[in-house]
Amino acid sequence: MITVLFGGSRPQGNTAQITKYALRDHEYNWIDVTTYQLNPVRDYRHDKEQINSYEDDYQLLIDQLLASDTVIFASPVYWYSISASLKAFIDRWSETLMDDRYKDFKQQMADKDFRLILVGGDCPKIKAKPCITQMKYTLNFLGATLHGYIIGTAERPGDIMNDTYALERADEWNETIKS
């Protein structure tokens, strides 16, 4: 199963367009993380408290991610990073590492095909590089790998469909990604 974790502020914007284009021949689970309630991360690393419940939508989202074979993070580039909503979801992985119900979390994550789609308007093929590095380090910490990324350039609505480089990469993904 393919799951898209979408972190854009425009559900029909350029990031959504290129992501849907890349997956046009596949079935996938689309999760718009901006529509879910995610509380701030609880850091109990140095306390005796345990993580064993969530009072927001996090567990629903992490369980869907863990049920997936391929996970695609899709985000506009905001201030040289992924969106705050997507980052808030990833920050919560720290809690999952401390939750006894997810003892094999790292192994489950290591087995996933992680990919990243980024779209920006101000030289994103250069300025999105810190974001790619951030995602690589994040996944490497869990023993996982970022297997590919697409960086698209778009200023105005619909511009992404004029980015031939991003469209070519999306065509490659459409042919090679496993459903």
Side-chain angles (χ1 to χ4, degrees), residues 109-149:
M109 295 294 272
D111 294 339
K112 309 256 175 259
D113 176 13
F114 285 104
R115 296 169 185 239
L116 175 64
I117 295 177
L118 300 167
V119 177
D122 183 20
C123 303
K125 288 176 179 55
I126 295 169
K127 294 182 178 179
K129 295 292 184 180
C131 183
I132 293 163
T133 302
Q134 172 192 20
M135 294 304 293
K136 284 181 178 180
Y137 285 149
T138 297
L139 294 170
N140 285 345
F141 180 81
L142 298 172
T145 303
L146 181 63
H147 289 112
Y149 59 86

Coordinates of all heavy atoms in Angstrom, one line a residue, residues 109-149:
M109 N 9.9 0.8 10.3 CA 10.2 2.0 9.5 C 11.4 1.6 8.5 O 11.3 2.1 7.3 CB 10.6 3.1 10.4 CG 9.5 3.6 11.2 SD 8.1 4.4 10.3 CE 8.7 6.0 10.3
A110 N 12.3 0.9 8.9 CA 13.5 0.5 8.0 C 13.0 -0.3 6.8 O 13.7 -0.2 5.8 CB 14.5 -0.3 8.8
D111 N 11.9 -0.9 6.9 CA 11.4 -1.7 5.8 C 10.6 -1.0 4.7 O 10.2 -1.5 3.7 CB 10.5 -2.9 6.3 CG 11.4 -3.9 7.1 OD1 12.6 -3.9 6.9 OD2 10.8 -4.6 7.9
K112 N 10.3 0.3 5.0 CA 9.5 1.1 4.1 C 10.3 1.7 2.9 O 11.5 2.0 3.0 CB 8.8 2.3 4.9 CG 8.1 1.8 6.1 CD 6.7 1.8 6.0 CE 6.0 1.2 7.2 NZ 5.6 -0.2 7.1
D113 N 9.6 2.0 1.9 CA 10.1 2.7 0.7 C 9.7 4.2 0.9 O 8.5 4.6 0.6 CB 9.5 2.2 -0.6 CG 9.9 2.9 -1.8 OD1 10.8 3.8 -1.8 OD2 9.3 2.7 -2.9
F114 N 10.6 5.0 1.5 CA 10.3 6.4 1.8 C 10.7 7.2 0.6 O 11.8 7.1 0.0 CB 11.0 6.9 3.0 CG 10.4 6.4 4.3 CD1 11.0 5.4 5.0 CD2 9.2 7.0 4.8 CE1 10.4 5.0 6.2 CE2 8.7 6.6 6.0 CZ 9.2 5.5 6.7
R115 N 9.8 8.2 0.2 CA 10.1 9.1 -0.8 C 9.7 10.5 -0.4 O 8.8 10.7 0.5 CB 9.4 8.7 -2.1 CG 10.0 7.4 -2.6 CD 9.1 6.8 -3.7 NE 9.6 5.5 -4.1 CZ 10.0 5.2 -5.3 NH1 10.0 6.1 -6.3 NH2 10.4 4.0 -5.6
L116 N 10.1 11.5 -1.1 CA 9.8 12.9 -0.8 C 9.5 13.7 -2.0 O 10.3 13.6 -3.0 CB 11.1 13.5 0.0 CG 11.1 15.0 0.3 CD1 10.0 15.3 1.4 CD2 12.4 15.3 0.9
I117 N 8.5 14.5 -2.0 CA 8.1 15.5 -3.0 C 8.1 16.9 -2.4 O 7.4 17.1 -1.4 CB 6.8 15.1 -3.7 CG1 6.9 13.8 -4.4 CG2 6.4 16.3 -4.7 CD1 5.6 13.3 -5.1
L118 N 8.9 17.8 -3.0 CA 9.0 19.1 -2.5 C 8.7 20.1 -3.7 O 9.2 19.8 -4.8 CB 10.4 19.4 -2.0 CG 10.8 18.6 -0.8 CD1 12.3 18.8 -0.6 CD2 10.1 19.0 0.4
V119 N 8.0 21.1 -3.4 CA 7.7 22.1 -4.5 C 7.9 23.5 -3.9 O 7.5 23.8 -2.8 CB 6.3 22.0 -5.0 CG1 6.0 23.1 -6.1 CG2 6.0 20.6 -5.6
G120 N 8.7 24.3 -4.6 CA 8.9 25.7 -4.2 C 9.1 26.6 -5.3 O 9.1 26.2 -6.5
G121 N 9.1 27.9 -5.0 CA 9.2 28.9 -6.1 C 10.5 29.7 -6.2 O 10.7 30.4 -7.2
D122 N 11.3 29.6 -5.2 CA 12.5 30.4 -5.2 C 13.7 29.5 -5.2 O 14.3 29.2 -4.2 CB 12.5 31.3 -3.9 CG 13.7 32.2 -3.8 OD1 14.3 32.5 -4.9 OD2 14.0 32.7 -2.7
C123 N 14.1 29.1 -6.4 CA 15.2 28.2 -6.6 C 15.2 27.0 -5.8 O 16.1 26.6 -5.1 CB 16.6 28.9 -6.4 SG 16.8 30.4 -7.4
P124 N 14.1 26.2 -5.8 CA 14.0 25.1 -4.9 C 15.0 23.9 -5.1 O 15.3 23.2 -4.2 CB 12.5 24.6 -5.1 CG 12.2 25.0 -6.5 CD 12.9 26.3 -6.7
K125 N 15.5 23.8 -6.3 CA 16.4 22.7 -6.6 C 17.7 23.0 -5.8 O 18.5 22.1 -5.6 CB 16.7 22.6 -8.1 CG 15.5 21.9 -8.7 CD 15.6 21.8 -10.2 CE 14.4 21.2 -10.8 NZ 13.1 21.8 -10.6
I126 N 17.9 24.2 -5.4 CA 19.1 24.5 -4.5 C 18.6 24.7 -3.1 O 19.1 24.1 -2.1 CB 19.8 25.8 -5.0 CG1 20.4 25.6 -6.4 CG2 20.8 26.3 -4.0 CD1 20.9 26.9 -7.0
K127 N 17.6 25.5 -2.9 CA 17.2 25.8 -1.5 C 16.4 24.7 -0.8 O 16.2 24.8 0.4 CB 16.3 27.1 -1.5 CG 17.2 28.3 -2.0 CD 16.4 29.6 -2.0 CE 17.4 30.7 -2.4 NZ 16.6 32.0 -2.4
A128 N 16.0 23.7 -1.5 CA 15.3 22.6 -0.8 C 16.3 21.5 -0.3 O 16.0 20.6 0.4 CB 14.3 21.9 -1.8
K129 N 17.6 21.7 -0.7 CA 18.6 20.7 -0.3 C 18.7 20.5 1.3 O 18.8 19.4 1.7 CB 20.0 21.1 -0.8 CG 20.1 21.0 -2.3 CD 20.0 19.6 -2.9 CE 20.2 19.7 -4.4 NZ 20.1 18.4 -5.0
P130 N 18.6 21.6 2.1 CA 18.6 21.3 3.5 C 17.4 20.4 4.0 O 17.6 19.6 4.9 CB 18.5 22.7 4.2 CG 19.0 23.6 3.1 CD 18.6 23.0 1.8
C131 N 16.3 20.6 3.3 CA 15.1 19.7 3.6 C 15.4 18.3 3.3 O 15.0 17.4 4.1 CB 13.9 20.3 2.8 SG 12.4 19.4 3.2
I132 N 16.0 18.0 2.2 CA 16.3 16.7 1.8 C 17.3 16.1 2.8 O 17.1 14.9 3.2 CB 16.9 16.6 0.4 CG1 15.8 17.0 -0.6 CG2 17.5 15.2 0.0 CD1 16.3 17.4 -2.0
T133 N 18.3 16.8 3.2 CA 19.3 16.3 4.2 C 18.6 16.1 5.5 O 18.8 15.0 6.1 CB 20.4 17.4 4.4 OG1 21.0 17.6 3.1 CG2 21.4 16.9 5.4
Q134 N 17.7 16.9 5.9 CA 16.9 16.7 7.1 C 16.1 15.4 7.1 O 16.2 14.6 8.0 CB 15.9 17.9 7.3 CG 14.9 17.7 8.4 CD 13.8 18.8 8.4 OE1 13.5 19.4 7.3 NE2 13.1 18.9 9.5
M135 N 15.5 15.1 6.0 CA 14.7 13.9 5.9 C 15.6 12.7 5.8 O 15.3 11.6 6.4 CB 13.8 14.0 4.6 CG 12.7 15.0 4.7 SD 11.6 14.8 6.2 CE 10.8 13.3 5.8
K136 N 16.7 12.8 5.2 CA 17.7 11.7 5.1 C 18.2 11.3 6.6 O 18.2 10.2 7.0 CB 18.9 12.0 4.2 CG 18.6 11.9 2.8 CD 19.8 12.2 1.9 CE 19.5 12.0 0.5 NZ 20.7 12.3 -0.4
Y137 N 18.6 12.4 7.3 CA 19.0 12.1 8.7 C 17.9 11.6 9.6 O 18.2 10.7 10.4 CB 19.6 13.4 9.3 CG 20.9 13.9 8.8 CD1 21.3 15.2 8.8 CD2 21.9 13.0 8.4 CE1 22.5 15.6 8.3 CE2 23.1 13.4 8.0 CZ 23.4 14.7 7.9 OH 24.7 15.1 7.5
T138 N 16.7 12.1 9.4 CA 15.6 11.6 10.2 C 15.4 10.1 10.0 O 15.2 9.3 10.9 CB 14.3 12.4 9.9 OG1 14.6 13.8 10.2 CG2 13.1 11.9 10.6
L139 N 15.3 9.7 8.7 CA 15.1 8.3 8.4 C 16.3 7.5 8.7 O 16.1 6.3 9.2 CB 14.7 8.2 6.9 CG 13.4 8.9 6.5 CD1 13.2 8.9 5.0 CD2 12.2 8.2 7.1
N140 N 17.5 7.9 8.5 CA 18.7 7.2 8.9 C 18.7 6.9 10.4 O 19.1 5.8 10.8 CB 19.9 7.9 8.5 CG 20.2 7.9 7.0 OD1 19.6 7.1 6.3 ND2 21.1 8.7 6.5
F141 N 18.2 7.8 11.2 CA 18.2 7.5 12.7 C 17.3 6.3 13.0 O 17.6 5.6 13.9 CB 17.6 8.8 13.4 CG 17.5 8.6 14.9 CD1 18.6 8.8 15.7 CD2 16.3 8.2 15.5 CE1 18.6 8.6 17.0 CE2 16.2 8.0 16.8 CZ 17.4 8.2 17.6
L142 N 16.3 6.1 12.2 CA 15.5 4.9 12.4 C 15.9 3.7 11.6 O 15.3 2.6 11.6 CB 14.0 5.3 11.9 CG 13.4 6.4 12.7 CD1 12.1 6.8 12.1 CD2 13.2 6.0 14.2
G143 N 17.0 3.8 10.9 CA 17.5 2.7 10.1 C 16.8 2.6 8.7 O 16.9 1.6 8.0
A144 N 16.1 3.7 8.4 CA 15.3 3.7 7.1 C 16.1 4.6 6.1 O 17.1 5.2 6.4 CB 14.0 4.3 7.3
T145 N 15.7 4.5 4.9 CA 16.3 5.2 3.8 C 15.4 6.0 3.0 O 14.2 5.6 2.7 CB 17.0 4.2 2.8 OG1 17.9 3.4 3.6 CG2 17.8 4.9 1.7
L146 N 15.8 7.2 2.6 CA 15.0 8.0 1.6 C 15.4 7.5 0.2 O 16.5 7.7 -0.2 CB 15.3 9.5 1.8 CG 14.6 10.5 0.8 CD1 13.1 10.4 1.1 CD2 15.1 11.9 1.0
H147 N 14.5 6.9 -0.4 CA 14.8 6.2 -1.7 C 14.6 7.1 -2.9 O 15.0 6.7 -4.0 CB 13.9 5.0 -1.9 CG 14.2 3.9 -1.0 ND1 13.4 3.5 0.1 CD2 15.3 3.1 -0.9 CE1 14.0 2.5 0.7 NE2 15.2 2.2 0.2
G148 N 14.2 8.3 -2.8 CA 14.1 9.2 -3.9 C 13.4 10.5 -3.5 O 12.6 10.5 -2.5
Y149 N 13.6 11.5 -4.4 CA 12.9 12.7 -4.2 C 12.6 13.4 -5.5 O 13.3 13.2 -6.5 CB 13.6 13.6 -3.2 CG 15.0 14.0 -3.6 CD1 15.2 15.1 -4.4 CD2 16.1 13.3 -3.1 CE1 16.5 15.5 -4.8 CE2 17.4 13.7 -3.5 CZ 17.6 14.8 -4.3 OH 18.8 15.1 -4.7

